[in-house]
Structures are given as C-alpha cells and as structure tokens.
Amino acid sequence: MAVIIRKDEAVVASLRAAVLRWYDGHGRDLAWRKGERDAYRVWLSEVMLQQTTVAHATPYYDKFLRLWPTVGELASAEDGRIMAEWAGLGYYARARRLLECARVVVRDHGGVFPDDEAALLGLPGFGPYTAAAVAAIAFGKAANVVDGNIERIMTRLYAIEEALPAAKAAVREAAAQWVSADRAGDWPQALMDLASLVCRPKAPLCGECPLATACLAFQRGEPERFPVKLEKAARPRRHGVVFLIIAGDAVVVERRPDKGLLGGMLGLPHTEWRDRPWKDAEVRGPDLEFTKAGRYEHVFTHFALTQEVWLARISGVQGQALIRTHNDWQLLPLADQRSLPTVFHKALKFETYGSLI
Ligand code: SF4
C-alpha cells in the first residue's frame, strides 16, 4: 500500500472548517437535501446515484418518493412495478436489491433503518460506501465516506502515485484524517460538491479551492494527473438479434429470468448475445415474416452490444395467439414502451420502419 504523508492536524482542522464554509455558500440544491434528513431518503438517493448523474437520477428520486413515501410502502410494492418505474436508470440489479433491502428493514428492523454503520452493512445492497454515507448523512455519525469524487480529491490532495484501484486503501487512510463528529453529515456532502463544482475531473478550478494551500497535486502543477489509473482493457463486443414484434398497438415482450443481466425486467425477445455476428440461417426466432429494420449499439459496463432488429407486424389477435404459446411473453401497449430497459427501448425506434416507405 502507498504510504501517505499525513497532514498536520491543526492544518486539517482549519481547512476542514474552510471547506464547510465554502459548502454553506456554494453547496448544491439537491432534491434529497430538502426536508428532514431521513435514512430512507438518503438511502434511496445513494442507490440511485451509483453510476448515474445527479441530473438523470433526480426525476426518478422524485417519482419514487411520490409513489412510495416510506420504506414500508416501498417494501409492499410489487416487484414488476418497481422494475418498470426503475427502467431507464440502468444497473437493474440495484432495483432488485432496493426492494429486497426495504423488505428486510421492515421484517427485521420494524421499518426503521439501523443508525449504526456495522448494522447498515448487513442490509442487502449496502457496501462500505452506502453504509458510511447513510450513517453520516442520515444519522450524523463520524463515518469515513469515500466515493469516486472524494477519491479524486484525496488522490490530488496527497498526490497519491499508486494507481486505482490498488490505491483505495491509501485513499481511505487519507480521507479518514478529515473525519470528525463536527458536522459529520455535512462533511461528505461538502466534499462531493467540491469535487463536482471545483475539483472537477478535467480543468479543476484550483484558484477557487479552499484546499489549495495543502494540495500537493496543485502545488506540483499537475492536478489532472490524479487519480492515477491503470489503462482499461477494451470492452469486448457482442452481437445479437432482437425480435421487434408489433401486434396492433402493442409490442411483444418477455419477462426476463430473475437471475442475470436485466434480471426480472421486461425485455424484447432476442437471440443469445455472443461474440460473433449472427448469420441469418443461424437465427432461431418465432415463425413470423420478419424484415431487417436496422441495427443499433448499446454499451453495458462489461461489453458493447451490436443488436440487429428484426421487425414483424401482426394483428392484435395474432399477438394474443402468439403469447399463448410462450409462457414468459406478454403484450405491452406501445404507449408504455418507456418502461423497457434502454437496451430494448432503443429497438422501438425501428417500429416506424417501412411505414414511411
Ligand atoms: Fe482539487 Fe485543485 Fe483543490 Fe487540489 S487545489 S483539491 S486539485 S481543486
């Protein structure tokens, strides 16, 4: 592990106060900071913000709070409804764990989140980051919250040369030096805002930063070199054929198996996503007259997908007959197509293919 050179404690105390003053004047006005600090709201926002931008997550957060204002109401929601309302937010395993966690909170904790980091860590979907964030922000506990933003500030502040992810232990040690019971909940939020508005990944505004006097990366004139990252391996590419079957004013969809990618979500029927393109003769789909309508790209975390769209138009009556022959299939009104995960929703833009020719 990289050895960090600890900063003088008096310097830390004075700069910590300066960051909190900056936060009081410049902190972002975020939906989940309005009203009381309630563990359910903090948790919901943290789960939604994993791998998603604030702008993208905010309407989902507002919608979930409107539909399910308490963890108890969320726990009693139907799985399919949660998945449908989550559609578009990505990383669907999080939605499944969200529901699982709400049910554990109701079953094992009387509908109240535990206020202790260790107990929070035992809940489904809680990793060290979420447990620390909820303990600090909702319960004011002095927890060491380290997300990608705080990681960026710490690697710059201490000029940590070790590459991520190996540097995570050193980053945690650096961040721990700043944790204090004083405004424990504001501190991680202040750092996240500072990272988002000032210590940006590209072109950080060091001239406006309350930490500049102690920041080694700034003093060396190379803030953007941190955090040091290992070269990423190129994403592998996979290929698939998706069957876009329009039955009257509905589309044929399938309920995906609970386990695996996009588990439990609705999706369009498709071939296996494999590492070489499909030849027409290899494709086994429903016995319908298909037209090749085009292809599109979609990028998952671990692979990029090229998906060819095979389009068939049938009547509503034929659609009913078709779904009777497939247990997991159903008809989704075209008006509700937004409830499909993005990788399938993209195929719907080919629905007008042929109608304009
Ligand atoms: Fe980031 Fe610059 Fe502030 Fe250092 S001085 S923490 S690099 S914004």
Side-chain angles (χ1 to χ4, degrees), residues 40-355:
Y40 172 57
R41 292 165 180 233
V42 173
W43 164 68
L44 189 61
S45 66
E46 289 298 341
V47 176
M48 288 184 168
L49 283 170
Q50 289 162 21
Q51 317 270 346
T52 312
T53 63
V54 166
H56 190 57
T58 301
Y60 286 89
Y61 172 83
D62 288 338
K63 177 174 70 175
F64 268 62
L65 260 199
R66 203 172 51 247
L67 293 170
W68 303 291
T70 64
V71 67
E73 283 158 289
L74 186 74
S76 356
E78 272 183 24
D79 296 41
R81 181 78 198 283
I82 297 276
M83 301 313 266
E85 299 297 347
W86 187 274
L89 207 41
Y91 300 90
Y92 295 92
R94 282 186 293 148
R96 288 202 301 278
R97 280 199 295 273
L98 186 88
L99 192 52
E100 197 189 337
C101 178
R103 289 174 181 161
V104 169
V105 169
V106 168
R107 191 191 66 211
D108 298 347
H109 300 276
V112 180
F113 280 87
D115 64 1
D116 157 83
E117 206 177 334
L120 287 165
L121 252 182
L123 294 174
F126 270 74
Y129 166 73
T130 317
V134 173
I137 300 170
F139 298 113
K141 298 286 176 79
N144 191 10
V145 183
V146 182
D147 72 345
N149 291 305
I150 296 177
E151 219 163 59
R152 183 165 66 254
I153 292 184
M154 292 299 153
T155 53
R156 290 175 173 177
L157 201 50
Y158 290 81
I160 297 175
E161 292 288 352
E162 192 178 17
L164 287 169
K168 280 183 182 291
V171 169
R172 286 195 66 77
E173 189 190 333
Q177 231 206 313
W178 300 75
V179 172
S180 152
D182 172 46
R183 298 187 64 182
D186 286 339
W187 175 247
Q189 300 186 90
L191 281 186
M192 287 175 206
D193 285 12
L194 190 69
S196 167
L197 302 172
V198 176
C199 193
R200 308 177 303 196
K202 295 259 180 288
L205 305 171
C206 301
E208 298 173 22
C209 179
L211 292 172
T213 53
C215 180
L216 293 179
F218 171 58
Q219 285 159 19
R220 293 178 190 173
E222 48 183 11
E224 284 187 39
R225 194 164 69 73
F226 300 92
V228 179
K229 287 185 178 155
L230 288 180
E231 288 287 311
K232 270 195 187 160
R235 268 197 191 90
R237 178 160 297 278
R238 293 194 194 159
H239 302 264
V241 173
V242 68
F243 304 110
L244 178 59
I245 306 166
I246 305 298
D249 57 3
V251 57
V252 173
V253 294
E254 63 176 4
R255 175 71 64 190
R256 298 174 64 83
D258 281 342
K259 294 262 179 285
L261 191 63
L262 307 170
M265 302 289 297
L266 288 179
L268 299 180
H270 63 89
T271 61
E272 179 200 343
W273 291 335
R274 68 181 197 186
D275 57 9
R276 61 188 196 286
W278 288 84
K279 295 189 177 124
D280 291 1
E282 296 175 314
V283 176
R284 300 274 171 269
D287 190 13
L288 296 170
E289 192 120 330
F290 282 105
T291 307
K292 286 199 211 177
R295 67 176 57 189
Y296 63 92
E297 302 285 314
H298 186 79
V299 177
F300 290 104
T301 323
H302 301 300
F303 66 94
L305 174 69
T306 301
Q307 184 122 274
E308 195 165 286
V309 183
W310 287 24
L311 170 69
R313 288 182 197 284
I314 57 179
S315 69
V317 175
Q318 288 172 300
Q320 293 291 350
L322 184 65
I323 63 169
R324 275 198 293 276
T325 62
H326 292 78
N327 272 347
D328 302 330
W329 288 15
Q330 54 184 278
L331 293 175
L332 178 76
L334 283 170
D336 295 341
Q337 58 177 272
R338 277 257 155 225
S339 64
L340 289 171
T342 312
V343 60
F344 297 114
H345 186 244
K346 282 179 176 176
L348 265 296
K349 74 171 187 258
F350 296 92
E351 186 248 322
T352 51
Y353 178 87
S355 59

